[in-house]
Amino acid sequence: PWVACCRRVCLSWIGADWIFLMLLGVALALLSFLMDIFIFLFMDAHRFLYHLSDSNVMLQYLTWITFPLLLMLFAAGFTQMLAPQASGSGIPEIKIILRGLMMKEYLTLKTLVVKVISLVCVLGSELPVGKEGPFVHFGALCAALLCKFMSFFSDIYKNEARNLEMLTAGCAVGIGCCFAAPVGGVLFSIEVTSVFFAVRNYWRGLMSSVFGILIFRLLAVWNKEEETIMALFPTKFRLEYPFDLQELPAFAVMGIACGFGGALFVYLNGKIALFVKKQKAMKNFLLTNCFIYSGLVSVFISSLTFPPGFGQFMAGQLTQRESLISFFDNRTWSKEGIVEDFHPDDHLSAWKHPQANVFIILSVFIMMKFWMSALSITLPIPAGSFVPVFVIGAAFGRLVGEGMATLFPDGFETEHGVHPIIPGAYAVVGAAALTAGITHTISTAVIMIELTGQIRYGLPILIAVILSNIISQSLQPSIYDSIIRLKKLPYLPELGWGHQEKYSLHVEDFMVRDVRYITLKSTYRDLLKILRTGNHKKLPLVKSEDSMILLGSVERAQIRRLLKQHAQHLRDLVDEERQH
Amino acid sequence: PWVACCRRVCLSWIGADWIFLMLLGVALALLSFLMDIFIFLFMDAHRFLYHLSDSNVMLQYLTWITFPLLLMLFAAGFTQMLAPQASGSGIPEIKIILRGLMMKEYLTLKTLVVKVISLVCVLGSELPVGKEGPFVHFGALCAALLCKFMSFFSDIYKNEARNLEMLTAGCAVGIGCCFAAPVGGVLFSIEVTSVFFAVRNYWRGLMSSVFGILIFRLLAVWNKEEETIMALFPTKFRLEYPFDLQELPAFAVMGIACGFGGALFVYLNGKIALFVKKQKAMKNFLLTNCFIYSGLVSVFISSLTFPPGFGQFMAGQLTQRESLISFFDNRTWSKEGIVEDFHPDDHLSAWKHPQANVFIILSVFIMMKFWMSALSITLPIPAGSFVPVFVIGAAFGRLVGEGMATLFPDGFETEHGVHPIIPGAYAVVGAAALTAGITHTISTAVIMIELTGQIRYGLPILIAVILSNIISQSLQPSIYDSIIRLKKLPYLPELGWGHQEKYSLHVEDFMVRDVRYITLKSTYRDLLKILRTGNHKKLPLVKSEDSMILLGSVERAQIRRLLKQHAQHLRDLVDEERQH
């Protein structure tokens, strides 16, 4: 008896919430860590081959474009053949699932494996796409699979409503592990996936995230990447007097500009996606087309970033991570002698050019990356839009910051001394604001703070993010809603928080009044008439025309079958009569 | 016609969401700013009088205790006579209101005015209570009053459900303006007041908070308190290598200890409140008793903190703000020569004592403040429990940190140099963890980060906060739920997130099966029998005993009245018959 008792206790213990949350955290931390390793491996291999062939520019160019091309073709083919549902970021679909419409094929082990492998290839190919959207999807996938696994131990995991709550926690952990941002990750996943939210899910998400991130960062320490647990992109801006009050308007204007930029990005992305869709419909060779399209885009983009070619004007050799680190640099590049001093082995030397100054390179970088990212995320591969937009925003912020530093070279004077402007801080604000503009979230501010490990610019970031949201929300839907519309997924638009006229909207204002129905006394003629005049899939059946009490619904197909049978019967009768 | 049109546009513009949110932010920022000024004024006056009378210790003692006594008596009398509902923190009541039970008297202008004035007096008297709970109440009050005001301009403000949403935003702004913590404030208000919440309310709260805090901090700058916008308690811990991995267990143990401490605080507070309640019931002189009780507590506490007396062993002369600043100090007090070097004019000199070392003073401080705070928040005055517990937690953290620094005087060695332990960081972690333990929230971590303006200790804070929550949630209800139970407010307990057995609980498991009811055919005798056997306030009326279709409910009082009338009628009949 005590064996049975012990077993029961053991099983209920394994089925407990916190075991699940810890397992989820560990799974996603490991996934994030291993994926990063392979992505860096690919990138290093690319760099290694590129530097190996530096005797001949033509050969070097071929190496530069072939490596990403192969990875891209593999990723596109692998995704399209095995699990087409793994393409895109996955956030739009998760949004639909969390609103109650179970799209089962999106939560299978096959999708997870295919998406992980493809994403590693895509990110290894240095296409300007990100991993944050796919990580929301991974989080949900891991949670769903873990629920299935845990249901062997505890019956509670057979409860569908509870499993949906666990999916929510999974999304939060996914994004948290991706950026090492526990609070920001949880808030972001809430904002992009939910309309209403249970506080207990916020707790679940945060607990699992913290555990996952602890593991994720410990792995980095054990792997000798870091000395101790730190933020992913730690900044070292001064703690005293972070910004002057006179800089606030500049931050605000930047927020507004980022709002317009975010709306433009969503618009551009939508236009490209629609254009591609039309081409596809024309050719009807989805698989081949998909290959050709992905390959063409890859060759086109890597040709432009080829460092000895046009790439020298847009810091083409930098990966997204290296660009971000350089934007958050604590020096003022526009000051004389700073850029010239960058060591050639340093990543920062990408911003040094004998003919062009840093403003030109930054502007070209922003413009090129803008359309490249908008184009790349329409490809049929796993790809997120958060990180590339983040990089563009940081570049824009750096540009504004350098401009401010040129306008006010001596900074702002107060009683206690002179405080120069920090362009790196503008990059931080810009990155948060532009990402907020395309995702329509405020929590990008929190992610930004956790990512850089500094909160002294908290208020400017929040102000810019809110202004960016106000502008972009009134111009365009968020990138996720835009994709939902493009993919024509079933979806109820949100009420929003500024649209007070919707509060006086009632069902009667938009309901269909001229409903076709069948009564118990309908004749075959009536049925035929209804079938001919409308094309509803289902028809309501009411008791009588006066009472209008709904008894149920009849499918169109059933009525058609009935009518056919009846017609056959009539024909048979006529035939019989003729024979007589 | 264009005048009318212009007027309509103008009115709808005024009625817009964002105007409301900005007004709410400004109102609370002004309130917070003005209250702080008056509180400091009272504190300065107290100090001034105390130093004026330093020729005679007896006189000095009298000054030290009389000033707070007068303020306390005024606050207690003012609250009890004009608006007893203004006493306490107000969070429990707001929690009830946001769950749909409108307690109208809690949201009137009178309550606001009385609570503001009393709170200023209470905080000016330096009783160990806080202003965070009352500020949640103020936020809700301002939102409710503003809704009433705005309903002149826009009909949308007559929608009750929408006004409830605005209350949620108000709570968030209140706490945000109190700590200059926009994100933490919003999350805290969500955690303590809601079970489910709409994402749009999170946006509303954050937008209003950011605006309010901008104003609040700008006022501080214009008032020459600060040079530029900074956190309320900015810390200056090193940015490189914030903590060693070997310190993580210490943070975790501290979190667990804080969980036990939090549960003990709630338990102690409940016991004191129950004890006082019994005494009150005995004496039945609520008003006098209330006066005596508040006065006694005030004299008792200020006698203990009298600096030349026992106060010298518990840093009695420090206000809560000064204690917090000293705990977050970036030096290691237990190192030789540090404490001795504190300048007598500095607040830090309160921790310097010729006979006792810093460990003893910190321990005495923690123990004394613990019961003092638990006692103070039971007084019939406006008082929050967040800030005093925050101070105690910081003291505990400082104690642990100093202990760690003594244990490992050389810090931890790595390849890149030696990294000494920072006891101030332990104070930050301790403060967040103990507050989390009594409020059962995770967002205290975010508040802590925003309050100190440093996030490098984000992960240790989150780990300690989560562990503290796990321990305290399994031992005691949160301080707010405990007060709800003590006050016997109507309240549905939460499901929680660890209690999986509750998922298989159905209504039939706890519903009352033996329901007393009246049918349409009930006789007077039946009614009398029902009244005698049960004591339900309302009785259901069903169609018949077989169908059991519910028609409505009848109040007990109505039935009693009916029976009385009937009895009277019968008596009259009998009398009439006799007369005949």
Side-chain angles (χ1 to χ4, degrees), chain A residues 64-207:
Chain A
W64 183 260
I65 64 161
T66 318
F67 192 85
L69 178 65
L70 290 177
L71 282 175
M72 273 296 294
L73 287 180
F74 171 75
F78 195 60
T79 314
Q80 285 308 311
M81 276 191 272
L82 288 174
Q85 66 271 21
S87 67
S89 79
I91 292 185
E93 288 82 8
I94 298 295
K95 198 165 177 168
I96 305 289
I97 291 173
L98 287 181
R99 280 167 197 203
L101 190 87
M102 216 12 127
M103 300 164 79
K104 292 263 182 200
E105 74 276 24
Y106 278 89
L107 297 176
T108 59
L109 184 61
K110 195 171 109 183
T111 309
L112 177 65
V113 173
V114 170
K115 194 157 190 166
V116 166
I117 295 176
S118 303
L119 187 64
V120 168
C121 294
V122 170
L123 292 176
S125 82
E126 291 180 44
L127 203 72
V129 295
K131 62 174 187 170
E132 115 303 330
F135 257 90
V136 171
H137 195 174
F138 291 156
L141 270 162
C142 285
L145 295 172
L146 211 53
C147 277
K148 224 180 258 176
F149 174 71
M150 295 291 269
S151 63
F152 292 116
F153 299 104
S154 171
D155 282 347
I156 193 77
Y157 286 97
K158 283 168 187 157
N159 183 325
E160 281 241 349
R162 190 162 174 284
N163 286 358
L164 216 55
E165 293 190 352
M166 288 307 183
L167 280 197
T168 321
C171 294
V173 187
I175 191 111
C177 280
C178 180
F179 291 128
V183 181
V186 172
L187 293 181
F188 184 79
S189 81
I190 289 173
E191 281 195 77
V192 295
T193 60
S194 311
V195 180
F196 279 90
F197 202 77
V199 173
R200 62 171 177 277
N201 287 341
Y202 158 77
W203 282 354
R204 280 198 184 112
L206 202 55
M207 185 175 156

Side-chain angles (χ1 to χ4, degrees), chain A residues 235-312:
Chain A
T235 54
K236 286 159 202 163
F237 306 140
R238 65 166 178 254
L239 294 181
E240 307 279 349
Y241 208 87
F243 57 93
D244 194 87
L245 292 190
Q246 297 174 63
E247 287 179 78
L248 279 181
F251 289 123
V253 169
M254 210 159 75
I256 291 171
C258 284
F260 284 109
L264 182 65
F265 187 88
V266 174
Y267 176 79
L268 190 65
N269 174 259
K271 283 283 156 204
I272 295 173
L274 269 181
F275 177 76
V276 172
K277 227 176 185 178
K278 267 188 203 158
Q279 301 302 317
K280 269 184 192 162
M282 261 176 20
K283 292 193 183 175
N284 248 333
F285 291 124
L286 190 74
L287 206 67
T288 343
N289 185 2
C290 176
F291 257 127
I292 296 174
Y293 181 47
S294 303
L296 275 179
V297 170
S298 170
V299 170
F300 189 40
I301 288 180
S302 30
S303 299
L304 281 174
T305 60
F306 182 53
F310 187 72
Q312 60 184 295

Side-chain angles (χ1 to χ4, degrees), chain A residues 315-329:
Chain A
Q317 69 264 48
L318 294 189
T319 63
Q320 299 196 54
R321 193 188 149 76
E322 288 161 1
S323 328
L324 264 187
I325 291 176
S326 67
F327 292 137
F328 296 158
D329 183 43

Side-chain angles (χ1 to χ4, degrees), chain B residues 351-363:
Chain B
W351 306 102
K352 179 167 85 177
H353 195 275
Q355 277 91 48
N357 72 13
V358 85
F359 289 100
I360 294 173
I361 302 188
L362 276 172
S363 306

Side-chain angles (χ1 to χ4, degrees), chain A residues 12 15-18 21 154 156 159 162 165 182-183 187 190-191 194-200 202-204 206-207 210 213-214 218 221-222 224 227-230 234-237 239-245 248 414-416 419 440-443 446 449-450 452-456 459 462-463 466 470 473 495-498 500 503, chain B residues 12 15-18 21 154 156 159 162 165 182-183 187 190-191 194-200 202-204 206-207 210 213-214 218 221-222 224 227-230 234-237 239-245 248 414-416 419 440-443 446 449-450 452-456 459 462-463 466 470 473 495-498 500 503:
Chain A
S12 87
D17 240 19
W18 64 272
L21 295 176
S154 171
I156 193 77
N159 183 325
R162 190 162 174 284
E165 293 190 352
V183 181
L187 293 181
I190 289 173
E191 281 195 77
S194 311
V195 180
F196 279 90
F197 202 77
V199 173
R200 62 171 177 277
Y202 158 77
W203 282 354
R204 280 198 184 112
L206 202 55
M207 185 175 156
V210 167
I213 288 164
L214 181 65
L218 280 180
V221 175
W222 290 330
K224 303 272 180 206
E227 257 200 300
T228 184
I229 292 179
M230 286 283 275
T235 54
K236 286 159 202 163
F237 306 140
L239 294 181
E240 307 279 349
Y241 208 87
F243 57 93
D244 194 87
L245 292 190
L248 279 181
T414 63
E415 288 168 27
H416 297 271
H419 305 284
H440 292 194
T441 57
I442 295 188
S443 45
V446 185
I449 289 167
E450 293 186 283
T452 57
Q454 271 203 308
I455 197 178
R456 294 276 153 141
L459 206 57
L462 276 169
I463 291 172
I466 287 175
I470 291 175
Q473 288 195 16
L495 193 60
W497 55 277
Q500 43 170 302
Y503 278 85
Chain B
S12 87
D17 240 20
W18 65 272
L21 295 175
S154 171
I156 194 76
N159 183 325
R162 190 163 174 282
E165 293 190 352
V183 181
L187 294 181
I190 288 172
E191 279 194 78
S194 312
V195 180
F196 280 89
F197 72 92
V199 173
R200 62 172 176 277
Y202 158 76
W203 282 354
R204 280 198 184 112
L206 202 55
M207 186 175 154
V210 167
I213 287 163
L214 181 65
L218 280 180
V221 175
W222 291 330
K224 304 273 179 204
E227 257 200 301
T228 185
I229 292 179
M230 286 283 274
T235 54
K236 285 159 203 163
F237 306 139
L239 294 181
E240 306 280 348
Y241 209 88
F243 57 93
D244 194 89
L245 291 190
L248 279 181
T414 63
E415 288 167 27
H416 297 272
H419 305 283
H440 292 194
T441 57
I442 294 187
S443 45
V446 184
I449 289 167
E450 293 186 283
T452 57
Q454 271 202 309
I455 197 178
R456 295 277 153 141
L459 207 57
L462 275 169
I463 290 172
I466 287 175
I470 291 175
Q473 288 194 18
L495 192 61
W497 55 276
Q500 44 170 301
Y503 278 85

Side-chain angles (χ1 to χ4, degrees), chain A residues 14-60:
Chain A
I14 289 174
D17 240 19
W18 64 272
I19 296 273
F20 179 91
L21 295 176
M22 295 227 161
L23 284 178
L24 189 62
V26 173
L28 281 161
L30 280 175
L31 192 64
S32 185
F33 180 71
L34 289 177
M35 277 183 63
D36 276 355
I37 285 186
F38 281 101
I39 292 167
F40 283 126
L41 215 69
F42 278 130
M43 285 180 175
D44 282 347
H46 188 199
R47 291 280 180 293
F48 177 76
L49 290 173
Y50 168 74
H51 285 298
L52 207 67
S53 54
D54 62 355
S55 52
N56 184 329
V57 172
M58 208 50 223
L59 189 69
Q60 210 172 12

